[in-house]
C-alpha cells in the first residue's frame, strides 16, 4: 500500500457511464451472460470478445456497481476501446478529477498461469501508461494495491501491447477480488505434485491471504479432504502450515518428505476415505478446512459438514464440481447448503485455474 493511500480522494465520480463490463474465463461467456440477466439495472449485451462482455444499462448504474454472481472475474463501468493513453485520457471525463489506481491485465489468460516474463511486459506497459496519463493531467497513484473505496482504472490488454486496449473503472469494495483483474500472479512450479497447487494459491489470493510481506498461514493447521497427490498440501506447507491430508490415494514424496526449517514433519497423511475418518484421528481444532473431492456437490457438502462438526475451522476453501447441467442449475441450492454450517460469509468464484468447477470460500482465518 502506498504512503499516500489515506489521502486519496475516493469519492465516486458524478457521471454515470451507460455501459458496464465484466471479464470471465474464456469459454464461460454464456454463464456470465446468464448471471447478468438478473441484474436490476436491466443489462442488454452490447459487445463481446472471448473473456470480455459489455452491456448497455437501462437504469444508470451506481458508482459501486458490481456484477453479482460467480463467473464475473472483474466488473465495473465501461469506458470503451482506446487506441492509446491520450485517447484514454480524453474519455475519462469527471474521473480526471479523482486520484486513480491503475490495474493492467490481459484479456487472454492461460489457465495454468501467465509466465513471469509476460507479466514483466505488462508491467512495463503499465509504467509507460501511468506516465502518459500523468502527463495528460490525470492524477494517478503509483501503487496498484487497493484499499476499500479506491477508484480503480481497469485496462485490459491484448497479447500485442501496441494494439488498442479496453478500459473501464470500478470502485474497490469489501468483496472485490484483491488481485488486479482477479488474476493472481501464480504459475505452477516445476516441483509441484499437481495443478491443485495453482488452484489453492488462487483461492488463497481470493480470500485475501496472499498479501505481500505477510505470512498469515504460518503455524496454522489445515485439514484437506482429497489431498492426493498433494499439490494443494504442498502449497500450504510452503506457507508454513501444518497439514493433515485425508485421501485413500498415495501422496507425493515431496509432500511426505517436506520438513520445516527446524527439521519438523508438518504433514500427516490419513490414507483412507474422508467418510471413514474417526473423530479421534482429527485435530480438535483446525484453522482451515479444504476440499477438492471429485464428488457430486451434494455428497461433498455432506462430508465437509460432518468434518466441520469435528474440526470447527474458521475458514473453508471448497471446490464444487459442475460437470453436468443438473449440477450447474443447482448451484444456488448448493451454496445455501454450505451457508447452513459455514463459519462466516460464503463467497463463490470461478478461479482462472478452475475448469468445470468453482471455488467457495467461507468464513475468514481466525
Amino acid at each position: 500500500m502506498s504512503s499516500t493511500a489515506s489521502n486519496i480522494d475516493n469519492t465516486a465520480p458524478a457521471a454515470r457511464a451507460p455501459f458496464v463490463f465484466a471479464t470471465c474465463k474464456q469459454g464461460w461467456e454464456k454463464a456470465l451472460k446468464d448471471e447478468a440477466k438478473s441484474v436490476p439495472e436491466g443489462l442488454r449485451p452490447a459487445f463481446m470478445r472471448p473473456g470480455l462482455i459489455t452491456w448497455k444499462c437501462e437504469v444508470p448504474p451506481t458508482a459501486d456497481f458490481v456484477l453479482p454472481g460467480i463467473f464475473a472475474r472483474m466488473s465495473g463501468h465501461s469506458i470503451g476501446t482506446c487506441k492509446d493513453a491520450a485517447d484514454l485520457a480524453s474519455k475519462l471525463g469527471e474521473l480526471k478529477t479523482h486520484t486513480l489506481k491503475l490495474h493492467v491485465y490481459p484479456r487472454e489468460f492461460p489457465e495454468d498461469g501467465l509466465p513471469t516474463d509476460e507479466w514483466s511486459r505488462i508491467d512495463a506497459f503499465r509504467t509507460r501508461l501511468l506516465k502518459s496519463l500523468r502527463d495528460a493531467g490525470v492524477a494517478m497513484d503509483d501503487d496498484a494495491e487497493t484499499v476499500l473505496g479506491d477508484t480503480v482504472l481497469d485496462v485490459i490488454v491484448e497479447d500485442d501491447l501496441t494494439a488498442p486496449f479496453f478500459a473501464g473503472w470500478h470502485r474497490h469494495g469489501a468483496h472485490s477480488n484483491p488481485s488486479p483483474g482477479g488474476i493472481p500472479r501464480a504459475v505452477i512450479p516445476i516441483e509441484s505434485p499437481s495443478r491443485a497447487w495453482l488452484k489453492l494459491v488462487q483461492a488463497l489470493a481470493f480470500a485475501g491471504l496472499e498479501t505481500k510481506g505477510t505470512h498469515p498461514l504460518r503455524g496454522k493447521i489445515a485439514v484437506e479432504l482429497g489431498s492426493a497427490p498433494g499439490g494443494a498440501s504442498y502449497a500450504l506447507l510452503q506457507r508454513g502450515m501444518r497439514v493433515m491430508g485425508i485421501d485413500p490415494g498415495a501422496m507425493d514424496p515431496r509432500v511426505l518428505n517436506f520438513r520445516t526449517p527446524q527439521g519438523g514433519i508438518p504433514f500427516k497423511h490419513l490414507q483412507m476415505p474422508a467418510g471413514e475418518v474417526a473423530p479421534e484421528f482429527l485435530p480438535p481444532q483446525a484453522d482451515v478446512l479444504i476440499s477438492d473431492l471429485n464428488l457430486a456437490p451434494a455428497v461433498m457438502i455432506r462430508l465437509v459438514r460432518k468434518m466441520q462438526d469435528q474440526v470447527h475451522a474458521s475458514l473453508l476453501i471448497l471446490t464444487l464440481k459442475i460437470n453436468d447441467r443438473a449440477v450447474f442449475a443447482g448451484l444456488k441450492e448448493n451454496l445455501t447448503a454450505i451457508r447452513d454450517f459455514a463459519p462466516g460469509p460464503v463467497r463463490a468464484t470461478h478461479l482462472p485455474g478452475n475448469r468445470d468447477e468453482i471455488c467457495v470460500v467461507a468464513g475468514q482465518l481466525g
Side-chain angles (χ1 to χ4, degrees):
M1 186 185 307
S2 69
S3 60
T4 61
S6 61
N7 298 320
I8 295 174
D9 179 0
N10 291 320
T11 305
R16 298 285 181 260
F19 291 86
V20 295
F21 81 94
T23 63
C24 67
K25 182 170 181 175
Q26 293 185 48
W28 290 81
E29 294 81 10
K30 184 181 184 302
L32 179 60
K33 288 171 70 175
D34 287 345
E35 285 189 329
K37 292 176 182 177
S38 62
V39 172
E41 285 82 359
L43 305 184
R44 289 185 289 139
F47 170 83
M48 185 173 77
R49 294 197 68 185
L52 172 64
I53 302 177
T54 68
W55 293 264
K56 187 172 183 178
C57 302
E58 296 178 358
V59 177
T62 60
D64 57 357
F65 170 85
V66 62
L67 191 66
I70 297 169
F71 297 98
R73 183 177 293 167
M74 187 58 62
S75 61
H77 300 257
S78 173
I79 294 172
T81 301
C82 304
K83 61 183 180 181
D84 53 28
D87 190 22
L88 172 57
S90 71
K91 295 176 178 178
L92 290 179
E94 289 190 21
L95 281 174
K96 292 182 72 171
T97 65
H98 298 264
T99 301
L100 307 176
K101 298 279 188 169
L102 177 60
H103 286 178
V104 180
Y105 47 92
R107 178 178 61 83
E108 297 183 283
F109 184 80
E111 67 177 15
D112 286 340
L114 197 68
T116 302
D117 58 343
E118 289 299 310
W119 278 120
S120 296
R121 290 177 61 236
I122 291 172
D123 288 342
F125 175 88
R126 178 184 181 274
T127 299
R128 295 192 298 271
L129 182 59
L130 200 62
K131 181 180 183 305
S132 297
L133 290 171
R134 279 208 187 96
D135 291 345
V138 183
M140 303 297 300
D141 186 346
D142 284 332
D143 196 351
E145 187 176 337
T146 49
V147 296
L148 191 66
D150 277 345
T151 301
V152 181
L153 187 60
D154 293 277
V155 170
I156 303 170
V157 296
E158 302 297 322
D159 182 61
D160 178 3
L161 294 177
T162 65
F165 53 81
F166 178 86
W169 67 273
H170 73 274
R171 171 78 67 79
H172 188 75
H175 298 298
S176 297
N177 195 306
S179 303
I183 305 173
R185 297 195 178 194
V187 180
I188 302 175
I190 295 174
E191 71 274 14
S192 173
S194 72
R195 69 184 308 274
W197 182 97
L198 181 67
K199 293 193 295 180
L200 192 279
V201 170
Q202 290 176 349
L204 293 176
F206 179 65
L209 297 175
E210 284 287 284
T211 306
K212 290 182 181 178
T214 65
H215 305 281
L217 298 176
R218 185 174 291 170
K220 303 289 188 179
I221 297 173
V223 173
E224 184 189 1
L225 311 183
S227 57
S233 291
Y234 192 70
L236 297 170
L237 294 169
Q238 288 177 315
R239 285 153 179 77
M241 295 197 79
R242 290 174 288 162
V243 182
M244 174 178 283
I246 302 172
D247 197 302
M251 297 299 297
D252 189 279
R254 286 164 289 194
V255 175
L256 297 174
N257 297 329
F258 196 97
R259 296 294 182 267
T260 67
Q262 295 76 32
I265 302 174
F267 182 81
K268 181 177 181 179
H269 183 201
L270 295 184
Q271 196 166 8
M272 60 183 71
E276 296 179 9
V277 179
E280 57 265 27
F281 291 127
L282 298 169
Q285 176 77 48
D287 298 288
V288 186
L289 176 58
I290 298 164
S291 172
D292 191 11
L293 291 166
N294 190 21
L295 296 172
V299 178
M300 183 276 291
I301 291 168
R302 286 197 296 271
L303 285 173
V304 169
R305 181 167 194 160
K306 178 181 177 183
M307 190 65 61
Q308 175 64 357
D309 287 343
Q310 299 295 325
V311 302
H312 312 290
S314 62
L315 175 66
L316 309 180
I317 300 177
L318 314 176
T319 300
L320 266 66
K321 307 298 181 180
I322 49 171
N323 45 17
D324 65 55
R325 289 186 179 182
V327 172
F328 194 90
L331 280 180
K332 283 187 177 181
E333 289 76 10
N334 290 321
L335 294 177
T336 297
I338 292 171
R339 288 188 181 97
D340 286 343
F341 64 90
V346 174
R347 295 191 295 146
T349 189
H350 193 224
L351 297 170
N354 283 148
R355 291 173 177 168
D356 293 333
E357 58 197 3
I358 63 170
C359 171
V360 179
V361 172
Q364 60 184 8
L365 194 65

